[in-house]
Amino acid sequence: MMHFLLLFSRQGRLRLQKWFTPTPEREKKKIIRDMTAMVLARKPKTCNFLEKQSAGQLIVLVCNHWYASLFFCLAIDDQENELLALEILHRYVELLDKYFGNVCELDIIFNFEKAYFILDEFLIGGEVQETSKQTVALIGMMWSSLDDLEYGQQG
């Protein structure tokens, strides 16, 4: 089971967070602080998998960094397949790339609602909903077109 997905910058600034399990706000802040410190302290060519004890259970943090100058981290149970989680992160980055062209940190900052929308089309409740990049991209483009019409923008 997926617990959460975090995107943060090299400076440790949180850019996107999605929680798939109910977690108290105080615990969320502690987890974010611990995870960013742990990931940022690692050397560049180290393993993508980290283990952390959280709320009495072992979770595996799958970290795929340097995409769009952001760290993409996904926390899963220790029984889950780490390579599948790594593929989920990679697919999310591909979806962002397909939607934004060549995604960068500024795309996430200024269009965070679109990044969340793409994530929600791809994952629901910590489970993969749609595996097709083309389908998710098409839905994202349709949503963007409707958004442009609503605000009277052309182009």
Side-chain angles (χ1 to χ4, degrees):
M1 168 178 215
M2 287 185 220
H3 295 280
F4 56 84
L5 178 115
L6 302 175
L7 273 68
F8 52 90
S9 69
R10 289 183 234 173
Q11 293 78 31
R13 292 195 183 106
L14 188 65
R15 298 301 182 201
L16 186 138
Q17 63 177 322
K18 182 72 172 184
W19 297 82
F20 302 112
T21 56
T23 308
E25 202 60 38
R26 187 177 193 146
E27 181 71 16
K28 285 180 184 179
K29 289 180 182 179
K30 182 182 182 322
I31 289 171
I32 291 168
R33 187 177 57 247
D34 293 347
M35 294 298 167
T36 54
M38 188 178 359
V39 170
L40 291 173
R42 296 173 55 231
K43 291 183 171 49
K45 300 228 180 206
T46 55
C47 181
N48 287 337
F49 308 111
L50 301 160
E51 290 186 352
K52 169 114 174 92
Q53 194 77 18
S54 177
Q57 72 180 48
L58 182 68
I59 61 170
V60 176
L61 184 69
V62 179
C63 178
N64 204 351
H65 59 283
W66 301 117
Y67 277 139
S69 72
L70 293 168
F71 289 92
F72 286 70
C73 297
L74 183 64
I76 58 172
D77 287 331
D78 61 336
Q79 302 90 359
E80 295 291 326
N81 185 342
E82 294 92 353
L83 294 177
L84 182 59
L86 194 60
E87 179 59 32
I88 288 170
L89 285 177
H90 185 70
R91 179 58 55 101
Y92 183 51
V93 171
E94 287 177 336
L95 289 168
L96 290 173
D97 269 344
K98 192 166 184 73
Y99 183 80
F100 290 113
N102 190 9
V103 70
C104 67
E105 185 177 356
L106 291 175
D107 290 325
I108 303 297
I109 293 170
F110 294 116
N111 298 298
F112 67 91
E113 71 281 351
K114 293 176 183 172
Y116 276 112
F117 180 80
I118 292 168
L119 182 61
D120 289 340
E121 286 299 316
F122 177 49
L123 298 173
I124 288 186
E127 299 293 329
V128 175
Q129 172 189 345
E130 181 60 60
T131 57
S132 169
K133 286 188 283 188
Q134 288 78 17
T135 302
V136 174
L138 180 64
I139 292 169
M141 294 299 177
M142 289 172 27
W143 179 74
S144 183
S145 297
L146 289 174
D147 195 36
D148 290 346
L149 285 174
E150 180 179 337
Y151 294 107
Q153 299 171 348
Q154 296 293 326

